[in-house]
Amino acid sequence: MRKAFILLLCLFVWGVYFNGLQNNFVLDDEALITRNPLMKSNSPLGIIFKSSIYDSPKTYRPLQVLSYILDYKLWGLNAFGFHL
């Protein structure tokens, strides 16, 4: 019963988000991903933990930036990979 519930839950979540896989980057994705110099640089990872996403110190999210960098290394600027 428990495995059936987990499978049903996974199928439901997949069904809800499946449509978004084919979409392009939108809104703040331009600043966070496509125009972010950290994505394409070979800077040491320590710089991620010393900077913010935008120029504002209120947007300190180093794990988010690290995730974007890993996605960029895997998928390039293919939005499908980031959405997946």
Side-chain angles (χ1 to χ4, degrees):
M1 181 69 179
R2 185 177 184 161
K3 288 182 182 180
F5 175 74
I6 292 173
L7 178 62
L8 186 62
L9 183 62
C10 288
L11 287 173
F12 178 75
V13 170
W14 177 259
V16 169
Y17 287 103
F18 176 73
N19 191 32
L21 292 175
Q22 62 194 7
N23 294 335
N24 292 322
F25 293 122
V26 295
L27 302 174
D28 61 347
D29 293 338
E30 292 291 324
L32 294 173
I33 298 168
T34 59
R35 292 184 313 200
N36 188 343
L38 288 174
M39 295 297 121
K40 299 170 187 148
S41 72
N42 290 325
S43 302
L45 291 178
I47 197 165
I48 296 169
F49 294 94
K50 295 179 182 176
S51 60
S52 63
I53 292 178
Y54 295 112
D55 293 330
S56 167
K58 294 179 182 178
T59 57
Y60 178 71
R61 299 177 191 154
L63 296 180
Q64 181 181 359
V65 175
L66 181 61
S67 170
Y68 289 159
I69 289 173
L70 292 175
D71 283 334
Y72 179 77
K73 299 274 187 207
L74 287 171
W75 306 100
L77 287 177
N78 184 355
F80 173 83
F82 283 83
H83 294 156
L84 184 63

